[in-house]
Amino acid sequence: MASKTYTIRDLAREFDITTRTIRFYESEGLLAPRREGQTRIYSEKDRVNLKLVLRGKRLGLTLAESRELIEMYDPEHGNVAQLQRLLEKISERRVMLEQQLADIRLMQTELDAAEERCLNALQKARQKES
Amino acid sequence: MASKTYTIRDLAREFDITTRTIRFYESEGLLAPRREGQTRIYSEKDRVNLKLVLRGKRLGLTLAESRELIEMYDPEHGNVAQLQRLLEKISERRVMLEQQLADIRLMQTELDAAEERCLNALQKARQKES
DNA sequence: ATTGACGTTTACGTAAACGTCAACTTAAAC
DNA sequence: GTTTAAGTTGACGTTTACGTAAACGTCAAT
């Protein structure tokens, strides 16, 4: 089936990050490109993982946390105990996301208020000017 | 009116952070407690600011970014140009929050899928056990 | 055949966000 | 009156997430 592959530069361009970052993620176990000689060849799965990591970053996750999320993807390599730990982590993550949702809503409200104060101040400033 | 005040330990306890963190935030200009002799006395406003910073942290903001948000609170000290920059920042923040909302939804969906795979794997693992 | 773009590794540097002492005051408790 | 508990200020250490630079290989184009 010979699925699509990417060079390191392809991915760097697509996600607007440096190649250094991509190599660093590999060294941290977040990506596992195959090699062709020395050169790294990235699969679609690598690309998806990278996307996950970057999304995680936007939500404030550390790389270690993102790695956990990635490892959730194939829960095959797990005994019962491990799988239950995974389920726990999933539910922990959900709690965090709910917290973030609440935080976002609060912050949006505050931005609304801040904008109003700001527009008011602008009014006053312009009156003085005239 | 003598509004309510807090010691550094009060706030540390309430928000489950160390006093070191609170002093650090002060050194970064995020808090400005008054002094009584050497000792810091925190006002309600300090407490609110601290809450803002911690919320920001949960959303992945840096301290510098949180400081910006705090400075938005009183837009009095601003000329027209500054106020317009503030409005820009507010709208930038809104864009980021929207992005985060989308990220959260995607991640929730993925957690759902991950949980299903995990439960499936548990089934199989338990069948083997029996 | 050399230039330029891309790839590699190794190693050190750095900014952010605190933690961790050490050494000292001050206030409260016994 | 002296422990003890909580406050203070440096100063240095640590982790995370890369940046930066050196030193080199590969290949396509001029």
Side-chain angles (χ1 to χ4, degrees), chain A residues 36-51:
Chain A
E36 202 147 283
Q38 287 263 79
T39 305
R40 292 163 169 87
I41 310 276
Y42 296 86
S43 68
E44 187 58 37
K45 193 191 170 187
D46 290 316
R47 187 173 158 279
V48 169
N49 283 4
L50 181 51
K51 198 188 275 193

Side-chain angles (χ1 to χ4, degrees), chain A residues 37-130:
Chain A
Q38 287 263 79
T39 305
R40 292 163 169 87
I41 310 276
Y42 296 86
S43 68
E44 187 58 37
K45 193 191 170 187
D46 290 316
R47 187 173 158 279
V48 169
N49 283 4
L50 181 51
K51 198 188 275 193
L52 280 177
V53 173
L54 297 175
R55 182 186 300 153
K57 279 199 60 181
R58 287 195 301 270
L59 293 176
L61 301 198
T62 68
L63 296 185
E65 289 169 329
S66 286
R67 188 172 44 213
E68 279 186 355
L69 286 180
I70 286 174
E71 283 163 3
M72 288 178 190
Y73 201 86
D74 35 16
E76 298 308 321
H77 56 303
N79 53 29
V80 173
Q82 273 202 357
L83 287 170
Q84 278 171 344
R85 280 227 51 217
L86 247 181
L87 285 175
E88 274 174 45
K89 293 208 168 183
I90 288 174
S91 101
E92 282 169 25
R93 277 276 153 245
R94 268 207 258 266
V95 171
M96 290 192 48
L97 291 181
E98 291 299 333
Q99 173 69 60
Q100 285 188 305
L101 269 178
D103 286 333
I104 287 177
R105 291 196 183 111
L106 284 171
M107 199 168 278
Q108 282 177 333
T109 305
E110 271 154 28
L111 286 183
D112 292 346
E115 186 168 43
E116 234 195 277
R117 289 193 302 273
C118 205
L119 289 172
N120 266 332
L122 253 183
Q123 279 298 328
K124 287 195 191 172
R126 288 204 168 115
Q127 280 175 10
K128 263 206 229 167
E129 260 183 11
S130 69

Side-chain angles (χ1 to χ4, degrees), chain B residues 38-53:
Chain B
Q38 288 262 78
T39 304
R40 293 164 168 85
I41 311 275
Y42 296 86
S43 68
E44 187 57 37
K45 192 190 170 187
D46 290 316
R47 187 172 157 280
V48 168
N49 283 2
L50 181 51
K51 199 188 275 194
L52 280 177
V53 173

